[in-house]
Amino acid sequence: MPLSELSSMLESVILGSVKGFSGVNPYADTLKRLRDAFNSGRTRPAEFRISQLQGLSRFLKENRKLLLDTLAQDLNKPTFEADISEIVLCEAEIKLALNNLRTWMKDEQVEKNLVTQLDSAFIRKEPYGVTLIIAPWNYPLNLLLVPLVGAIAAGNCVVLKPSEMSKGMEKVIAEVLPQYLHKNCFATVLGGPQEATILLKNKFDYIFFTGSPRVGQIVMSAASKYLTPITLELGGKNPCYVDDNCDPQSVANRVAWFRFFNAGQTCVAPDYVLCSRETQEKLLPALQSAVTQFYGKEPQNSPDLARIINDRHFHRLRGLLDNGRVAIGGQSDVQELYIAPTVLVDVKETDPVMQEEIFGPILPILNVESVDEAIAFIRKREKPLALYAFSKDSKVVNKVLDQTSSGNFGGNDGFMFMTITSMPFGGVGHSGMGEYHGKFTFDTFSYRRGCLLRSPRLEMINKMRYPPYSPGRQRLLVWFLEHKLGFPCSIL
Ligand code: NAD
């Protein structure tokens, strides 16, 4: 029996012991198909990678209306928000990868010591193999496709696991996307926690997970079984410090747009504001004015405000409206899964709204007396995915930057850094590990294999390293190891 069949059979037996699972590994055939395709070397040539990236680009172009309609169906996502945050950002990533692929793929020559001066030393960017991308529901297209761009560019086979909660997009990914990609190299697996649990019993060569820290821990522990390398793009509470020295209206416009974009269901949205009571009094009318300007007097009638993904999240969010005092908004409508853009004041550190990531259109304001108190407040908590500071005084913004840690940082604005493909995006500590966007996604999905190719001749040079050892040879070898030539030289 061939080894691959034996290992697939063994895997089925192991999976048979999973609770609630009837004995056959439902993903064995799919994974074998991808594994065989990867082992055949099909995904490695630049031409193949380019053709798949072009397929992805055509998928976005030819299905633009379907994708926008689906995002409207799943989340009532306004076309403007869906277009810029889901489609345009994916297109930018594809374009960047297509323009740079051959350069990114090139071996990187490295500096050598004198001992290896005549040799060839370089880093080869190798695809990992069969990789898994698990995505959440809030940007169901972007968060699946942006990692996929890097995985394809790096030459991997990929299993995509979209979120079961964004049902419309899950169907499009399962039914339409495969028409644009090579079926032996890419596959989609559907389902929720139960299916994902079984899927994770299989061996992958890399796992890229975006979602909550709770599930991130589950994925990390499943990956540890095979020592599979992972990226975890997680969430958390993103603080937003507003200094007294600011223009309240422009701060309010910026904070409100980024908080209420996609109805607050954004991992990098400002989660709460820290400011003095005086600044709060100036911010409140400015925030009210921003909300009215953006969504009108009746935000529920605005076509520009998304809805909450499902009943469970709606009820969770409605529960949070009881925290502190509602200063702006506070209305909700279960029929429409609508929560009004809301600002809460008099919120205590111990209130439930400050214990969990809000992930909805609710913005609590907490009072601090100084930037130092804000920094101490932030440092007492887990490192967030994003951190924001607003001030006309750049020293204040830089002080917050210098004295805190977070996945990404925004001074005087919200998550505009997401639009810069030359900037890494990712979390640190509790907000995740690893980074992506632009070339960083290619790097994430590439193993950097250090290679040294030596000449089979010139054995004379090696003599000094062989026994019998002597202090003289030792000194000589150390000197050769520690020194470099000032100019490149290679015989291979
Ligand atoms: P989630 O963790 O519940 O689910 C994410 C994905 O994991 C889904 O595909 C889901 O089906 C799957 N999953 C659920 N249970 C699983 C299990 N037991 N084993 C394996 N997979 C499982 O997250 P969500 O509710 O879809 O998304 C919201 C969270 O994602 C928030 O915390 C948010 O901050 C975070 N997020 C982070 C980023 C980022 O880039 N860092 C982006 C978007 C969302």
Side-chain angles (χ1 to χ4, degrees):
M1 178 183 293
L3 203 60
S4 62
E5 260 179 53
L6 185 68
S7 99
S8 153
M9 218 177 84
L10 270 176
E11 227 166 304
S12 297
V13 173
I14 294 167
L15 283 163
S17 62
V18 178
K19 208 167 164 237
F21 183 66
S22 59
V24 184
N25 176 1
Y27 307 113
D29 288 349
T30 304
L31 290 172
K32 181 174 181 318
R33 191 176 81 236
L34 267 59
R35 176 77 53 203
D36 288 348
F38 182 75
N39 288 342
S40 75
R42 185 191 288 279
T43 58
R44 288 184 182 246
E47 292 71 24
F48 177 84
R49 306 183 195 193
I50 288 168
S51 72
Q52 300 307 296
L53 290 170
Q54 286 168 338
L56 214 49
S57 175
R58 279 202 313 282
F59 164 71
L60 292 175
K61 209 176 196 160
E62 291 171 13
N63 298 287
R64 195 176 197 93
K65 182 167 180 328
L66 170 69
L67 293 169
L68 292 172
D69 289 351
T70 306
L71 291 163
Q73 176 195 323
D74 282 345
L75 284 144
N76 198 37
K77 240 182 227 225
T79 300
F80 181 97
E81 293 186 5
D83 196 34
I84 61 169
S85 65
E86 303 258 23
I87 298 181
V88 172
L89 289 183
C90 290
E91 284 173 338
E93 294 277 347
I94 296 170
K95 201 166 159 200
L96 185 85
L98 282 170
N99 288 341
N100 294 283
L101 185 70
R102 287 179 197 275
T103 314
W104 292 351
M105 285 173 68
K106 272 196 190 131
D107 288 344
E108 254 170 58
Q109 302 299 318
V110 298
E111 237 186 354
K112 294 171 282 187
N113 52 35
L114 277 182
V115 182
T116 51
Q117 203 48 235
L118 299 176
D119 308 323
S120 175
F122 57 89
I123 299 165
R124 167 75 43 99
K125 284 69 160 289
E126 274 191 357
Y128 276 101
V130 178
T131 62
L132 170 64
I133 297 174
I134 302 180
W137 49 263
N138 59 332
Y139 292 87
L141 187 66
N142 177 317
L143 296 171
L144 203 63
L145 260 51
V146 173
L148 177 61
V149 170
I152 293 175
N156 295 282
C157 287
V158 188
V159 173
L160 295 167
K161 169 35 202 107
S163 171
E164 73 287 7
M165 291 205 210
S166 36
K167 292 193 190 324
M169 191 55 75
E170 187 192 32
K171 194 162 182 277
V172 171
I173 296 296
E175 292 174 8
V176 186
L177 180 63
Q179 297 164 25
Y180 295 83
L181 296 172
H182 197 294
K183 70 172 177 19
N184 289 344
C185 304
F186 304 96
T188 302
V189 164
L190 304 184
Q194 208 185 342
E195 289 78 6
T197 302
I198 297 168
L199 181 64
L200 283 169
K201 299 276 169 195
N202 290 280
K203 182 178 190 305
F204 290 93
D205 300 307
Y206 199 95
I207 299 176
F208 189 105
F209 171 81
T210 305
S212 59
R214 181 187 68 80
V215 178
Q217 284 179 333
I218 296 173
V219 171
M220 192 168 179
S221 105
S224 73
K225 184 178 164 211
Y226 296 108
L227 297 176
T228 302
I230 52 171
T231 293
L232 296 178
E233 295 285 340
L234 310 177
K237 291 184 82 62
N238 305 313
C240 175
Y241 173 67
V242 181
D243 190 32
D244 289 345
N245 183 6
C246 72
D247 170 18
Q249 193 58 61
S250 67
V251 172
N253 293 344
R254 295 173 194 203
V255 171
W257 190 57
F258 285 105
R259 170 75 281 191
F260 303 131
F261 194 96
N262 200 30
Q265 299 162 114
T266 306
C267 57
V268 279
D271 189 271
Y272 59 92
V273 164
L274 294 172
C275 67
S276 68
R277 187 159 277 276
E278 301 81 76
T279 296
Q280 174 183 305
E281 296 317 311
K282 292 182 202 149
L283 271 182
L284 284 177
L287 282 164
Q288 178 63 74
S289 154
V291 168
T292 312
Q293 191 111 32
F294 295 172
Y295 309 110
K297 285 213 159 62
E298 297 289 339
Q300 190 167 2
N301 300 331
S302 167
D304 298 328
L305 191 65
R307 293 297 187 262
I308 305 309
I309 184 73
N310 57 25
D311 275 13
R312 180 166 71 78
H313 280 286
F314 172 85
H315 290 294
R316 178 184 65 78
L317 287 164
R318 195 154 71 174
L320 297 180
L321 295 174
D322 294 338
N323 290 221
R325 174 170 63 82
V326 171
I328 296 170
Q331 304 80 1
S332 62
D333 179 350
V334 68
Q335 298 301 326
E336 278 193 25
L337 298 179
Y338 166 77
I339 303 265
T342 296
V343 178
L344 302 174
V345 293
D346 302 337
V347 170
K348 291 195 287 297
E349 245 185 281
T350 48
D351 285 341
V353 76
M354 288 305 294
Q355 311 311 311
E356 59 177 272
E357 179 182 7
I358 297 171
F359 224 55
I362 302 173
L363 181 71
I365 302 183
L366 283 92
N367 296 138
V368 287
E369 299 213 332
S370 64
V371 63
D372 292 306
E373 194 184 330
I375 290 169
F377 188 96
I378 294 164
R379 289 175 61 142
K380 252 194 332 199
R381 290 165 168 73
E382 299 288 2
K383 291 180 183 177
L385 184 60
L387 201 162
Y388 304 103
F390 289 78
S391 176
K392 281 187 183 168
D393 184 351
S394 61
K395 282 202 210 79
V396 173
V397 172
N398 278 305
K399 183 169 187 174
V400 180
L401 171 60
D402 290 346
Q403 297 186 14
T404 58
S405 177
S406 61
N408 286 71
F409 182 87
N412 287 314
D413 207 7
F415 45 87
M416 281 310 284
F417 50 75
M418 300 290 277
T419 62
I420 302 176
T421 48
S422 53
M423 176 114 66
F425 170 67
V428 57
H430 204 255
S431 54
M433 59 184 73
E435 56 196 22
Y436 75 128
H437 286 184
K439 179 167 184 292
F440 299 100
T441 321
F442 173 87
D443 291 340
T444 286
F445 281 97
S446 301
Y447 174 66
R448 293 168 68 81
R449 187 180 189 186
C451 305
L452 177 67
L453 306 188
R454 307 209 71 199
S455 164
R457 298 180 300 277
L458 303 172
E459 183 61 2
M460 279 298 291
I461 298 175
N462 295 331
K463 284 231 165 116
M464 67 179 147
R465 70 187 186 191
Y466 300 140
Y469 300 133
S470 72
R473 282 181 175 206
Q474 187 177 344
R475 270 195 303 277
L476 197 62
L477 184 58
V478 168
W479 190 86
F480 269 87
L481 286 172
E482 284 178 351
H483 289 79
K484 302 180 181 89
L485 266 193
F487 53 90
C489 170
S490 172
I491 57 163
L492 286 172

